[in-house]
Amino acid sequence: MSSPVLIFPGYANSGPDHWQSLWQSAYPQCQRITIQDWMRPQREVWVAALEREVARLGPDVLIAAHSMGSLTVAHWAAQTSLRIRGALLVAVPDPQGAAFPATASGYEGLPSLPLPFPAHIIASQDDPYASMTFSQQCAQRWGCALTDLGQAGHINAESGLADWPQGWQTLQTLSQP
């Protein structure tokens, strides 16, 4: 895959054993977005950071987002004029859910228009941050494909995915013209 890949972690960033960090180490085309405060997500701040990175990387960029990063991508897509090749949206959290970070602001309403680029949502049946019903609603609302990983928790380091080759393959399918 020759497209640049922008890694966009969620709340608290992704630790060294997270599939996003392993991809960043393994694949030279991967780079991580810079966020000043990973513990207090502010939609406006995170969307602005994504806008800067996409402008810098150009329209061939693929985004590999996890959790709050995925939710931010959807909000960004609703207001940007920039284009990307596609996005992998993993473990999109429900802003109305009990486990949603109390320190996050600006994520109350969900974008309702289809995403203007190919996207694929990966969800888990036992994700503490989103029900499968919520993930299905996001996929339908945003015009995304949806993969159900079964019992995979929050699809993070604790899920035991290691470098998660299935996720990398799914991201590669988004790079096809």
Side-chain angles (χ1 to χ4, degrees):
M1 175 179 10
S2 61
S3 295
V5 175
L6 181 61
I7 303 289
F8 197 154
Y11 178 83
N13 204 343
S14 295
D17 296 327
H18 193 287
W19 56 267
Q20 287 183 310
S21 299
L22 297 173
W23 288 3
Q24 187 179 0
S25 295
Y27 304 109
Q29 67 268 44
C30 292
Q31 46 196 293
R32 186 179 300 245
I33 193 168
T34 300
I35 297 291
Q36 293 297 323
D37 189 348
W38 289 104
M39 302 306 287
R40 285 182 282 287
Q42 295 179 329
R43 186 184 82 192
E44 291 178 12
V45 172
W46 284 32
V47 164
L50 182 55
E51 182 79 0
R52 282 190 302 275
E53 286 300 305
V54 170
R56 182 179 67 81
L57 293 169
D60 266 355
V61 69
L62 291 164
I63 299 174
H66 180 257
S67 193
M68 191 75 73
S70 297
L71 196 53
T72 302
V73 169
H75 281 282
W76 167 80
Q79 65 186 58
T80 189
S81 62
L82 298 176
R83 296 291 167 238
I84 62 171
R85 184 163 295 261
L88 183 67
L89 306 175
V90 180
V92 181
D94 182 350
Q96 303 305 315
F100 195 78
T103 58
S105 65
Y107 289 94
E108 295 78 22
L110 285 177
S112 59
L113 297 175
L115 299 177
F117 46 79
H120 196 119
I121 293 176
I122 310 276
S124 167
Q125 295 174 9
D126 62 345
D127 187 338
Y129 296 96
S131 68
M132 186 54 67
T133 299
F134 174 79
S135 299
Q136 291 165 339
Q137 290 169 348
C138 288
Q140 182 177 24
R141 177 181 286 201
W142 300 337
C144 302
L146 173 67
T147 296
D148 176 350
L149 282 188
Q151 305 292 312
H154 195 48
I155 315 174
N156 54 14
E158 288 75 31
S159 301
L161 299 171
D163 64 352
W164 194 30
Q166 176 191 6
W168 185 255
Q169 289 171 341
T170 302
L171 181 67
Q172 288 177 331
T173 65
L174 296 170
S175 71
Q176 306 305 315

